[in-house]
Amino acid sequence: MTNTWTDIGTSDVILIIGANPAENHPMAFKHITYALENKYGNTGPDGNGAKLIVVDPRYTRSASKASIWNGRQMYCKMRSGTDIAFVNGMINYVIQNKKYDQPYVLNYSTAGFLVNENFKGPAETGDGKFSGFIPDASQPVPTLGQIGKYDKSSWNYATFVSSHPKAFKAVNIATDFWDASGNCSCGTSCGFSKDTLSLDPASQYYIGKFRQHLLEVGLLNTTDLGPNVANERTVWEHVLLHYARYDKNTVINLTGADPLVYDDICELFSITG
């Protein structure tokens, strides 16, 4: 575990997936128990201590301690080897329901950085691989997967001539391109304003239309942003494309999870933001 005991003991919601700390890590589980009992004053999502979620193919001693939420125990049985699909589905739930910390994503992450136009994720390649995969021709193609290696030259940011990552963040839109009335400073009747432009990083205006408008009217320099700016996606756009594949039906079919329990787990885990 990479969490400190204090982190665990003061948590509001705890997720155990594919592990059984009640039997295998009793000292760690003692601090989970402290959180459940509200020993350190953490109120949890309902003011009654932390809530414990357990996802595991087996109903273990840890699973027996899973909290009751919305009338159901927060233990979810899943097929072995499908934990990544389960977690990716939870991430998609957080994105789709805007349960993430939007100001933090906007201002303190690389969400607004432009990515090399030649980079493609599995959602774009269509074969489950990232761009740059080179198959090993000397090896037979197995039923699942393919042997090979990656040329990672496209796995980077789009860059300025000086090789610094291109940052196009909503914080810049919020401060640099408005006149005193809060309208776009382009001087035309473009319709973009602080009131109409969403600063959510998932907004199509932020990642597409408004950026393109600023280029067209000369408020952004095409040399700085790159000659193929229309083909360059932001980090956030790639995140959206990647996790959108893990919708609820796909996750349930892959993992065998109970749909109602899965819904409750996604909501409970993301409820504290």
Side-chain angles (χ1 to χ4, degrees):
M1 294 184 180
T2 56
N3 306 81
T4 66
W5 298 145
T6 302
D7 286 339
I8 295 172
T10 57
S11 295
D12 289 320
V13 178
I14 300 168
L15 170 66
I16 298 173
I17 182 166
N20 182 20
E23 294 183 285
N24 299 330
H25 304 283
M27 288 302 295
F29 201 80
K30 179 175 72 171
H31 291 271
I32 293 175
T33 302
Y34 289 163
L36 299 178
E37 295 174 349
N38 196 16
K39 183 171 182 178
Y40 297 129
N42 49 313
T43 58
D46 62 357
N48 193 30
K51 295 293 175 280
L52 176 63
I53 301 167
V54 179
V55 182
D56 199 288
R58 300 180 302 131
Y59 190 77
T60 62
R61 185 171 294 180
S62 298
S64 71
K65 300 298 183 181
S67 301
I68 302 298
W69 180 260
N70 200 22
R72 280 182 278 271
Q73 186 179 36
M74 290 295 93
Y75 162 71
C76 188
K77 186 175 183 178
M78 66 170 186
R79 296 188 181 100
S80 296
T82 62
D83 49 337
I84 296 301
F86 193 98
V87 171
N88 285 355
M90 294 176 67
I91 294 173
N92 187 47
Y93 178 91
V94 168
I95 292 173
Q96 296 301 324
N97 292 278
K98 300 187 186 302
K99 298 287 189 176
Y100 54 90
D101 187 336
Q102 295 184 44
Y104 184 90
V105 171
L106 286 168
N107 299 314
Y108 301 104
S109 78
T110 60
F113 281 25
L114 291 170
V115 177
N116 188 314
E117 65 170 322
N118 295 316
F119 174 80
K120 300 291 185 292
E124 298 167 279
T125 61
D127 59 4
K129 303 181 184 69
F130 293 88
S131 56
F133 181 76
I134 304 171
D136 187 343
S138 66
Q139 300 291 332
V141 178
T143 304
L144 294 175
Q146 192 171 14
I147 299 173
K149 61 182 180 179
Y150 277 103
D151 172 5
K152 300 179 182 178
S153 59
S154 65
W155 294 18
N156 50 36
Y157 297 115
T159 57
F160 291 117
V161 175
S162 59
S163 297
H164 292 296
K166 294 180 202 172
F168 188 82
K169 297 196 173 193
V171 64
N172 295 330
I173 294 177
T175 57
D176 295 347
F177 301 111
W178 308 121
D179 61 21
S181 300
N183 297 313
C184 177
S185 59
C186 67
T188 68
S189 301
C190 66
F192 289 108
S193 70
K194 284 187 177 181
D195 293 332
T196 59
L197 178 65
S198 168
L199 295 183
D200 181 342
S203 166
Q204 63 175 326
Y205 289 100
Y206 163 51
I207 59 180
K209 290 184 178 180
F210 190 57
R211 182 175 72 188
Q212 197 62 34
H213 168 69
L214 294 174
L215 286 167
E216 290 170 355
V217 298
L219 290 179
L220 287 178
N221 190 304
T222 54
T223 302
D224 289 342
L225 283 174
N228 300 310
V229 66
N231 297 323
E232 293 171 341
R233 288 192 170 96
T234 61
V235 171
W236 186 250
E237 290 173 88
H238 280 288
V239 168
L240 294 177
L241 284 170
H242 185 81
Y243 289 107
R245 300 177 300 152
Y246 294 91
D247 60 88
K248 177 182 174 180
N249 289 336
T250 298
V251 173
I252 296 304
N253 289 335
L254 287 172
T255 65
D258 182 300
L260 295 178
V261 177
Y262 174 78
D263 284 342
D264 285 343
I265 286 176
C266 289
E267 176 62 22
L268 176 58
F269 187 77
S270 61
I271 201 169
T272 60

